[in-house]
Amino acid sequence: MSDTLLEVQHLVKHFAVKRQLFLRRRRETVKAVDDVSFTINRGETVGLVGESGSGKSTIGRLILRLIEPTRGEVAFNQQDILQLSEEDFRPLRRHMQMVFQDPFSSLNPRRTAGEAVEYPLRIQGIGASKVARQERVLELFQLVGLESQFVNRYPHEFSGGQRQRVGIARALALEPQFLVLDEPVSALDVSIQAQVLILLQDLQQRLGLTYLFIAHDLNVVEHMSDRVMVMYLGKIVEIATANELYREPEHPYTKALLSANPEIAPEAATGQRIVLQGEIPSPMDIPSGCRFHTRCPSAMDICSQVEPSLLEIGSAHQVACHLSEQAS
């Protein structure tokens, strides 16, 4: 069996939108994800970081087919799931689940926590009877550290951390191999975040899970991830092991992100913070060439003309930057 569980090739998602311009409406294209490729190995946690609007959450939803891509391939267990009909994909869907950012909005307020966790079992036809499904729900509650009496409570009766545990239990109900964790602790108090992260690590060890960990908190990503991908404006600009990326970042954007948090990796800091000029451009108006060149402190003439490819610069380290190309 291959070590690669998930392989994404040339994934693209463009949204068509209508934009009011003076007295006329014009159709525009939002390039949310624009030719992204990467792999995730079995049992691995891959972090995905970048500013808001970079396309991180869209990638997670594309992988699970919660939204359909414009084009590309997503191979799960060496099977391209994007070529499957909804009916053929349903048996595979149970092996790929998501834990959402906001545990309150992701739970139906009219369903008890037990009903929320039982629902995917019922939809997939798992469990010989309602009693058998309820027993499975109790097992899942115990697995995520919730007492059995919580089964009959409604979402508003839980704390934020408890609600996220319910969300994790629901994601685990179908015994998945792969979880997309979309900002799973960003909506929680700092004191609760560590508890949920420890739970996720424990579950990964016990159940052999594979994670795509989407977050903007660089401290959390370093703590959780084996490898890290840095995303900017719909593109992956750097991929490396967590240790190498945090200690020896190559892409100017990665360096800027880390310089804003020098306590994470003081070796990567230059002694002063790198302040990026301006805001991230609109995905409806992508700059030519390297899409980071409008904010890059090291931009050269070629950067505005030619888009750099994501190239290997070392063992398990890839970067899309003309500076790195010249240095190699």
Side-chain angles (χ1 to χ4, degrees):
M1 184 180 292
S2 170
D3 288 338
T4 301
L5 178 66
L6 185 82
E7 183 173 7
V8 175
Q9 290 290 334
H10 306 297
L11 191 63
V12 173
K13 181 60 180 177
H14 293 171
F15 295 96
V17 297
K18 291 182 179 179
R19 187 175 173 185
Q20 188 74 36
L21 198 63
F22 297 107
L23 299 178
R24 300 176 61 185
R25 281 192 175 183
R26 206 168 82 186
R27 292 183 67 84
E28 302 276 2
T29 300
V30 175
K31 297 180 178 179
V33 175
D34 203 20
D35 195 12
V36 165
S37 301
F38 60 88
T39 61
I40 300 179
N41 296 324
R42 298 176 192 278
E44 185 180 34
T45 298
V46 174
L48 180 57
V49 300
E51 292 172 280
S52 296
S54 60
K56 305 186 303 295
S57 294
T58 303
I59 283 184
R61 284 161 170 75
L62 288 170
I63 289 171
L64 300 185
R65 285 188 62 177
L66 299 179
I67 55 177
E68 294 295 327
T70 302
R71 59 181 178 273
E73 298 179 7
V74 176
F76 182 75
N77 273 329
Q78 299 182 313
Q79 184 173 12
D80 186 358
I81 64 173
L82 300 184
Q83 299 301 315
L84 301 177
S85 66
E86 181 61 34
E87 182 179 357
D88 291 336
F89 178 56
R90 178 170 289 186
L92 280 177
R93 186 180 291 278
R94 62 178 293 182
H95 299 300
M96 310 168 69
Q97 296 292 314
M98 176 175 276
V99 176
F100 295 91
Q101 176 179 2
D102 185 350
F104 189 74
S105 63
S106 66
L107 295 172
N108 189 330
R110 295 182 177 84
R111 283 200 183 118
T112 65
E115 290 170 338
V117 175
E118 182 192 359
Y119 182 74
L121 297 171
R122 183 156 50 86
I123 290 297
Q124 288 279 352
I126 296 174
S129 64
K130 185 174 180 62
V131 171
R133 290 195 298 271
Q134 290 175 337
E135 289 178 355
R136 172 62 177 158
V137 169
L138 290 174
E139 291 175 2
L140 289 163
F141 269 57
Q142 183 179 20
L143 186 65
V144 300
L146 292 174
E147 297 178 9
S148 58
Q149 63 264 32
F150 289 176
V151 168
N152 295 316
R153 293 187 183 180
Y154 287 88
H156 71 272
E157 299 179 89
F158 289 95
S159 67
Q162 290 170 335
R163 279 195 293 265
Q164 194 58 291
R165 288 173 187 265
V166 174
I168 294 169
R170 180 180 59 183
L172 295 176
L174 301 176
E175 300 183 349
Q177 300 173 45
F178 174 68
L179 291 183
V180 174
L181 306 172
D182 188 8
E183 302 271 8
V185 297
S186 64
L188 305 179
D189 293 338
V190 174
S191 59
I192 304 301
Q193 288 183 3
Q195 298 175 20
V196 174
L197 293 174
I198 291 170
L199 172 64
L200 289 169
Q201 289 179 315
D202 179 59
L203 291 170
Q204 184 175 36
Q205 292 296 318
R206 293 168 63 180
L207 304 177
L209 297 169
T210 302
Y211 292 155
L212 173 63
F213 190 92
I214 300 170
H216 66 272
D217 188 324
L218 294 170
N219 292 281
V220 170
V221 171
E222 182 187 27
H223 177 71
M224 290 292 294
S225 304
D226 300 301
R227 288 188 297 134
V228 179
M229 304 187 295
V230 181
M231 192 168 187
Y232 183 81
L233 205 59
K235 284 276 192 182
I236 301 293
V237 298
E238 188 163 7
I239 304 175
T241 65
N243 182 65
E244 186 167 354
L245 185 129
Y246 278 75
R247 302 300 178 260
E248 298 180 23
E250 285 289 333
H251 198 281
Y253 179 59
T254 308
K255 293 177 181 179
L257 290 178
L258 291 175
S259 77
N261 296 270
E263 70 279 2
I264 296 177
E267 300 91 339
T270 60
Q272 62 183 37
R273 180 175 177 181
I274 301 171
V275 180
L276 297 179
Q277 300 300 314
E279 299 294 326
I280 185 170
S282 167
M284 290 189 291
D285 189 19
I286 301 289
S288 62
C290 173
R291 53 196 66 196
F292 184 60
H293 85 266
T294 58
R295 303 172 71 197
C296 180
S298 304
M300 305 174 292
D301 289 342
I302 191 175
C303 299
S304 63
Q305 301 165 14
V306 180
E307 185 170 37
S309 300
L310 190 65
L311 300 176
E312 293 274 355
I313 61 167
S315 177
H317 196 159
Q318 298 171 276
V319 64
C321 180
H322 291 301
L323 285 171
S324 297
E325 289 177 6
Q326 291 185 355
S328 60

